Structures are given as structure tokens and as C-alpha cells.
Amino acid sequence: MNSQDQNIKLFHEFPPSNKEAWVAESLKMLKNQDFSSLYTSTYEGISLAPFFTPDDQTTLPNIPLATEHWLNTIEIKVSDETSANHLALEALQQGANSLMMILLKNPPLDFAKLLQGIDLHKTPIHFRFFSQNIEAAGLLASIKFRGGIEFDFLANWLVQGDLDTHIWKKLHELCQIFKDQTVRTVFIQAENYHLAGAHVVQELALCLAASVEYIDYLEQNGIQLSDIFSKMGFSMPVGGDYFIEIAKFRAFRLLWAQLTEAYQIKEASSWLHARTSPRTKFAPDEHTNLLRATTEAQAAVVGGCNSLTVGAYNEVTQEENEFSRRIARNVSIILQCEAHLDKVYDPAQGSYYIEYLTKTLAEESWKLFQEIEQRGGFIKAVEQGFVQDKIEETASLRKAHFDSGKDVFVGVNKFLKPAHKTVTTLPDKEGKKDLNLLKLRRF
């Protein structure tokens, strides 16, 4: 192409247009009905126009997205070290390049057996602990690895009702043990809020509020702010609303930058892990879960996650097998090796719609976060029942939309197979009765 060709204006034969012209044409089609009838509302209370034009262009600060392609992270549920090690090695040989070890087993834990044959210099590993086995986390100090120790006891508290001073001290101890290693020890997990029915604004705001509780405690107990921020990471589920989920991950980066600025931290990149949502997966017509998982995975990637776990299409029935694990693992591989989504930095930038969603989600999440802080912070807001009431309100609305068919799930509440019935799963967990606990839901 020569310089003269570069100056050619495409579509010059069409007259210029603007949003007013599009609205006028829409009104003709509506026979002069109110244009606002075309607007839709999200669970977050955001009013969405039927279309966006350059007149809706939003100015956003630079979003500090991940600069490297995302890691294909495979979950391994560890109830037996030998079998878990076999699954981990199989996944790494077949294209995975990162591991998430979910430690379901109580101590003693044999990490040498669990990690046998894995190149710890090459493969980042995250270990997810629970209250019953967190004491074993210190054993990892003698194993030189990079990755993270995930133990968000505030999120677990909302489901199980356990919160004591010993757990806080354990968090402080882990930060000190792994101070000089590339291991993140302060991980905030949004899964419980999401599975309880929270919408995106609530997920983001609660992650920020929980972060502040952890940061303030650790700083008050002698750990430097810069050290705390360098050890922080986040795990976010990816729901089924494609564009809102893209905007959620981008909005999180803006919110995190705003929080670090409030603490006067100049640079604090956070690790953002994405996981396809079990809330949107169903046992009836389970193969449709393949499509849901793929669109969720793409949303997380376009939104700029650092790592991604795609759940097996039959995970809700706990019947994962070699085939379903392979298909889940290959979603990331296809998005990288065939769709080449790792070759573009921030592909959503410039989309008027997504930029609007990003800005609005960030603003609304910050407002809710500030409201939680005004109530005394995350813990106080939970003790007052404020957090639970907000999530329960959203969950009830979701159930009403599910039952009425307003929210369509193919093969579940619409286009059902004759032999299938819709089932509502409410796996309540026992916890302290003096705290209003969240209920984890899957319709």
C-alpha cells in the first residue's frame, strides 16, 4: 500500500451520522414509542442503551492489564497425594502450564510425594488451604516454588462461620515465612460471594473490603505495606454475562490501582486468577456446559486475567473423567494456539459498550466499598448482616428470573429434554448459629 492509498477515506459515499440520527431512526421503527423502552437493566442496576456510538465514548485511565499471556491452570483436588500427582503430571504433559492444588486432605500432607516429578522452577503452583489444614502450609517453606498459598478465611467465614484470632496469626506467620520468596500469601477469593448469588458490583466491592481488612491487620502487626501488596492475589469466578464479565476484570484493575493509590503504594501489580463459574453449569443436558465454559473463558481472557481455570463440563455431578478434563484443558490451548487471543493487548479497548461497562462497574463497586467501610469495614458489615442481605436480595431476584424463564438456560429451564427435570441445589453448610451465613446456590 502506497502513501496515496493510505489517505483514502473508506465509506466516504455515506453521509456522516451521529447518535441522534440513530435514535430518530429507532423511533420510526418503534412508531414513536418512548426510546427508553429499548433500555435493559442488569442485576447491578446498570441501565443499558440498545446501542452505543462514538458519542458515548468514555475516557478511562490506563488499565494495567497483564503483559504476558495467561497461564492454563488446572485444578487438582488432593485427597490422595499419589493420585493427585499422577493427574498433575498428566495435565502438564498435555498442555497445562500451571497448577491449582485444592488440598481436601487433612494433615499429614506429604508435599514431596505430591510434587514429585514436577519442575517447580518452570511450573507455578497455587495451594488452596482450608481451616482444618492451614497449619501444614508452613511445610512449603522448605520447597522452593513460585505461585501462591490461598487461604481466604474471611470468605470462608461467611459460609462456615469460623473466625478466630489464631487464623489471623497464621496469615501473619505465612507472610513472614515466605517474605523473600515469589509466593503470594494474601489471596482474596470471590467464589463464595458469586456462588451465593452476588452480582458483579458486590463481588468487586467485597473483594476490596476484604483486602482492606487483611492489609490493615498485617500493617498493624509490623509488616511493611509494600511487602503486603506484593504478596496479594485474587481469584475471580467468570459468570455467563459475556460483556459484563469482560468489564468486571478490567474494572478490577482500575479499582486495585485506586486502592493502591489510597495507600500511597506506587507499584503493586496483583495476580488475577479466573475460574469458570459452577453457578452457570447444570446436570441436565450437561454438554451445553461446554459452550458456557468457553464463552466464560474467553471473557476472562479478553478482560486480562493472569491465569485461567476452565471447569469440566460435568463437574457439577462430580463425574469428571479423562475426557472432560482434557476438553476443559484444551479450551485455553485453543484460545491461545488457534484463536491467538494472547497476541493482542487489551482487545476490548475502544469498544464504547465495554468501556462504558468498565467505568460504571468500577464507580458502582467503589461506592459500595465505601458504604461497607462506613459501616466499619468488612467484618462489621458482615456482623450487621448488611453483606448477607445485599447478596440474598440479588440471589432471590436471580431465582425469580430463573423460575419465570426470564433468564434462559438452554436444556435447563427452556428446551428441556423430556427425561430431565429442573433441580434447585442448595448445599447449605453448618456453621455458627449467631451469624447469618451465605447459602451457596446452583439452580
Side-chain angles (χ1 to χ4, degrees), residues 20 29 65 131 164 190 198 248 297 316 343 366 384 405 418 425 429:
E20 290 182 1
M29 299 289 292
L65 299 180
S131 298
D164 57 50
K248 175 175 79 174
V316 296
K343 298 295 190 292
W366 190 260
Q384 295 162 13
T425 304
K429 295 185 178 182

Side-chain angles (χ1 to χ4, degrees), residues 48-249:
L48 297 177
F51 53 79
F52 289 78
T53 73
D55 294 343
D56 298 301
Q57 191 165 359
T58 300
T59 301
L60 291 176
N62 182 46
I63 299 177
L65 299 180
T67 55
E68 299 179 358
H69 66 78
W70 70 95
L71 295 176
N72 186 4
T73 303
I74 304 304
E75 282 183 357
I76 307 291
K77 295 183 175 74
V78 182
S79 53
D80 171 74
E81 290 90 342
T82 301
S83 58
N85 174 261
H86 173 75
L87 290 175
L89 291 174
E90 177 187 72
L92 294 172
Q93 291 167 0
Q94 297 297 322
N97 50 18
S98 177
L99 298 171
M100 171 76 73
M101 298 289 192
I102 300 178
L103 302 169
L104 303 178
K105 182 183 177 183
N106 293 335
L109 293 168
D110 191 340
F111 290 109
K113 183 184 293 185
L114 177 62
L115 302 175
Q116 185 176 5
I118 299 174
D119 187 343
L120 300 181
H121 298 287
K122 182 180 179 181
T123 307
I125 303 179
H126 286 245
F127 297 88
R128 181 166 292 186
F129 288 86
F130 301 92
S131 298
Q132 63 269 26
N133 57 20
I134 186 59
E135 291 298 331
L139 298 174
L140 288 167
S142 61
I143 300 174
K144 300 300 180 182
F145 75 102
R146 59 191 182 98
I149 293 176
E150 299 195 14
F151 177 52
D152 187 354
F153 53 85
L154 287 180
N156 292 337
W157 172 49
L158 266 168
V159 175
Q160 298 173 347
D162 288 329
L163 188 65
D164 57 50
T165 56
H166 176 72
I167 295 179
W168 286 97
K169 291 177 181 177
K170 189 63 183 180
L171 175 67
H172 183 268
E173 177 188 328
L174 290 174
C175 287
Q176 291 181 314
I177 290 174
F178 294 96
K179 178 181 178 181
D180 298 323
Q181 297 185 35
T182 54
V183 176
R184 296 182 183 271
T185 51
V186 186
F187 245 90
I188 287 78
Q189 299 164 345
E191 285 90 342
N192 282 350
Y193 317 135
H194 175 85
L195 291 175
H199 56 58
V200 166
V201 166
Q202 291 165 346
E203 289 178 30
L204 293 171
L206 289 171
C207 283
L208 288 181
S211 299
V212 169
E213 291 282 3
Y214 288 135
I215 293 167
D216 290 349
Y217 170 81
L218 293 171
E219 184 190 18
Q220 291 166 10
N221 285 272
I223 298 182
Q224 296 293 322
L225 275 175
S226 57
D227 293 334
I228 298 170
F229 275 83
S230 68
K231 292 297 183 182
M232 298 193 73
F234 294 80
S235 180
M236 292 267 188
V238 197
D241 198 323
Y242 182 71
F243 293 106
I244 284 183
E245 292 297 327
I246 293 174
K248 175 175 79 174
F249 282 82

Side-chain angles (χ1 to χ4, degrees), residues 296-335:
E296 290 168 6
Q298 186 175 351
V301 166
V302 174
C305 65
N306 295 96
S307 62
L308 170 65
T309 294
V310 178
Y313 68 84
N314 54 355
E315 66 174 328
V316 296
T317 59
Q318 299 181 348
E319 295 178 356
E320 295 181 27
N321 51 47
E322 183 180 355
F323 174 75
S324 64
R325 288 193 296 268
R326 180 172 67 86
I327 293 297
R329 184 172 61 242
N330 283 351
V331 169
S332 261
I333 297 173
I334 290 172
L335 292 179

Side-chain angles (χ1 to χ4, degrees), residues 1-16:
M1 180 183 292
N2 58 41
S3 59
Q4 184 176 359
D5 292 332
Q6 291 176 347
N7 294 326
I8 294 176
K9 293 184 179 180
L10 299 178
F11 307 113
H12 63 277
E13 64 271 26
F14 295 97

